[in-house]
Every structure is written in structure tokens, then in C-alpha cells.
Amino acid sequence: MIVSEFVPKPYKFILDSGSVAYSSPSNIALVKYWGKKANQIPANPSISFTLNNCKTLTTLKFEKKTTKGFSFEVFLDGIIQNEFKPKIKQFFERIEVYLPFLTSYHFKIETSNTFPHSSGIASSASGMSALALCLVQLEQRLNLEMTKGFFNKKASFLARLGSGSACRSIEGTLIVWGSHTNIIGSSDLVGIKYPYKVHPCFNNFCDTILLVDKGEKQVSSTVGHDLMYRHPFAEQRFAQAHTNMDALIEVFKTGNLSAFISIVEREALTLHAMMMSSDPYFMLMKPNTLEIINKIWVFRKKTGLHICFTLDAGANVHVLFPENEANEIREFIKTSLVMHCQNEQFIEDILGEGAQSIKI
Ligand code: DP6
């Protein structure tokens, strides 16, 4: 499958060497992407909040070479990471047709995260989107004629080919990926900004990420997605995601936070229920994940505050709440939930506006 819109015309300029840099955030899905078809096409639409503080900073240094094939090295916090190379090589192979300059340069990819790698915080989302953005910025220097809109669209398109959820990290604050009948412009190929009205109660919505288990995940998302192929509940799950997207359109219009909570928590638990009922089955939640969830439910019932949780493919808990209830909820998190985190670690985040180019 080649999408001709993203295949460039011959470049106008020649660059021998240089560097570009981007910071790109993580995102947290409200309706989850879990299951995909060939070419990184999602099995169902998803929608996410773009985060502000959890991000990857990537510098891409490039130097012309004469040898054939891809040539690159990757560093995380200044330390060479050969174990990242297969994923990046696969990414380059998938996108070479859209960025024909890839084999003309040797690349030095220097990256750092503001959060622990492989912690269930979507480091592949911020990492792949930051790299895609650097590459599109380099392409822009070779061509110059690119609108901001097309720049973001191409970055999202390429990021998806690196990691599906990465296509939702280019812009903020609410991003839809995957075609849905009632969301105009939605596409399986790129993330788009949510096109309808969003109630002001979602402005500056907060996400405190409780780091329950910072270790490497036992099962990668890629393996988890594959297990949806012959999952007994796959079709019902994909249909449910469409229904939940419809329900969220109404929620965003009206600001009905109770309905929001029920959709978001059900999505999180369904994601993990899919993992627990696949073949082979697996479980990424830890006892402390459940402790936190139970405490959130008790606190919500007692106070009537609009606190809820969602989960990624990991044990960590994202605690979501509106800005105007933040003081009381943050206090509750510190006194009652943080004790269930590994080394009491947590990250306070809020909704963000997406990736930014870094001047170097
Ligand atoms: C549970 O985007 O990491 O976070 O496309 O294989 O790289 P690949 O998967 P990835 O899957 C993320 C899954 C999720 C849900 C979501 O973010 O929508």
C-alpha cells in the first residue's frame, strides 16, 4: 500500500550535513487502539488526550554518505542503544518510499525522555513521533514548499508507521485516529484534531501518572495487538469502540463528566480484559494497580468529585480529573495513592498542545 499524497516530488536543494530537533509528547487514549490490520491500520478508531510534560526530545544529526542502505546510530541519554535499532530499521524500511533521502545520509539519533522508558507511559508514541517530526523537518529543508498542515499530516502519517499511537502525538489536545462515520475527516492513516465542540470543563484537564511498576513490560504492545487477530471477542470489542466514540462526542459537547468517567474506565478495563482473555493470555496490571483503582472508586463515591482512571498497556495508572477539582484530588493522590507507586514515583501532567521544534 503506497499513499501517493506522501511520496515527494524530486527535492530542490542539496544538504550535506546538519541537524534538526523536536520535542514530542506522549498521549493517553480514552478509547483504546488495540488490534490492527496490515500496514499499521487500526482495527478501530481511538481518541486521546495529548500530554504536556511527558515527552521525548530528539536531535537528528545527518551527514551525506555514499554507501548503500540505512546507516544510523541511536543514543538514549547519551548512551548508545543497539537494542532500539531493529525497530528503527523496520520504521525506515516502511517509510523509505515517502522519504527517499533516508539512504543518502548517516543519522545520529540522540534522544531523551522526561519519564522512564518502557514504563507503560507510551514512550513509543513520543519517541516515534519525535523522530518522524525530525525527518519531516529535514525533508522540508530539502524542499521548503510545505504548509504547516501538510507538515503535521505527513509527520502523523509517518509516525503511525513507526508506532500506531505515535500518530496521535503531533498536535493537541484531543486527537482522533481511525475512521469513524460520525467524525468528519477521521482517517485510518493519520491522527486529526477532534473537529467538534469541546466543553470548557475539559480545558487543562489533568492526568497524574502513578508509576506502579517501572520495569520493562513482559508483553509488548505489538504482540498484544497481534493477539486480537484470533481473539474470541475481537469483533464485539471493535464495535464497542465505535459506540464509545459516539458517546464521547455527546460527552465533549455537554461536559457530562459522569458519562465521561464511565466510558473511560470501561475502555481501560476492556483493554486489560482483552489481554486477559487472549490466547496466550497475560496480565499487565499489578496488585497495586487494583489497590489504586479501588481507592479511586471509594473516594469518588464519598466526595462526588470527578476523578477517574485509565490504563495503558502496563501497570501504571493515569488518574484523570478536571482542573477545578485539582486541589482536593491532588491532595488525595499524595496522601492515599502515591504509597502504591514504585519508590512513590508519580508524574503530574496536563493536556498539551503537541510537538514543538527545538532550535539548535
Ligand atoms: C494500549 O501504539 O504502542 O496504548 O502500533 O504496535 O507500536 P504499535 O502499538 P502502540 O499501542 C498502543 C496501545 C495502547 C492504546 C492506545 O494508545 O490507544
Side-chain angles (χ1 to χ4, degrees), residues 29 33-34 36 40 124 163-165 168 221-222 225 271 312-313:
Y33 147 58
W34 197 244
K36 58 177 152 181
Q40 292 284 100
S124 66
S163 176
S165 55
R168 299 189 311 237
S221 294
T222 306
H225 286 293
L271 168 70
D312 252 336

Side-chain angles (χ1 to χ4, degrees), residues 156-353:
S156 178
F157 176 81
L158 297 177
R160 177 184 57 85
L161 293 170
S163 176
S165 55
C167 78
R168 299 189 311 237
S169 276
I170 309 296
E171 295 177 275
T173 51
L174 197 49
I175 302 293
V176 174
W177 168 42
S179 161
H180 184 273
T181 333
N182 296 325
I183 301 182
I184 189 162
S186 60
S187 160
D188 285 344
L189 301 180
V190 292
I192 62 155
K193 274 169 98 74
Y194 178 73
Y196 306 124
K197 198 181 136 201
V198 179
H199 191 277
C201 71
F202 291 104
N203 292 351
N204 299 319
F205 219 72
C206 306
D207 178 5
T208 296
I209 305 153
L210 303 176
L211 302 177
V212 170
D213 182 23
K214 297 197 293 154
E216 292 275 336
K217 287 187 267 182
Q218 312 106 302
V219 182
S220 73
S221 294
T222 306
V223 171
H225 286 293
D226 284 348
L227 293 174
M228 287 304 282
Y229 266 118
R230 50 202 171 86
H231 196 292
F233 308 139
E235 288 317 311
Q236 295 93 319
R237 159 61 199 150
F238 302 147
Q240 179 201 37
H242 283 266
T243 310
N244 284 344
M245 295 289 287
D246 271 324
L248 274 183
I249 295 173
E250 191 58 23
V251 162
F252 286 127
K253 194 158 79 185
T254 58
N256 181 345
L257 285 173
S258 303
F260 175 80
I261 289 168
S262 122
I263 297 162
V264 167
E265 291 191 346
R266 194 146 22 89
E267 273 288 323
L269 294 179
T270 303
L271 168 70
H272 284 258
M274 290 299 118
M275 298 172 191
M276 289 189 253
S277 50
S278 59
D279 181 10
Y281 48 84
F282 60 104
M283 198 187 285
L284 297 181
M285 289 192 282
K286 299 278 183 198
N288 277 330
T289 312
L290 298 182
E291 283 288 337
I292 290 167
I293 291 174
N294 277 308
K295 281 192 174 178
I296 288 174
W297 285 342
V298 170
F299 177 77
R300 187 165 73 219
K301 196 156 186 205
K302 196 174 85 191
T303 60
L305 294 172
H306 297 97
I307 178 174
C308 69
F309 71 86
T310 188
L311 307 165
D312 252 336
N316 299 332
V317 182
H318 288 248
V319 186
L320 302 176
F321 49 93
E323 188 188 27
N324 65 353
E325 298 179 8
N327 289 343
E328 267 173 286
I329 292 176
R330 288 214 171 102
E331 187 58 30
F332 161 68
I333 291 173
K334 282 182 191 143
T335 55
S336 303
L337 301 185
V338 164
M339 63 181 74
H340 301 294
C341 299
Q342 199 172 343
N343 305 323
E344 307 213 332
Q345 278 193 291
F346 64 102
I347 303 169
E348 287 185 342
D349 214 332
I350 54 162
L351 299 202
E353 291 298 335

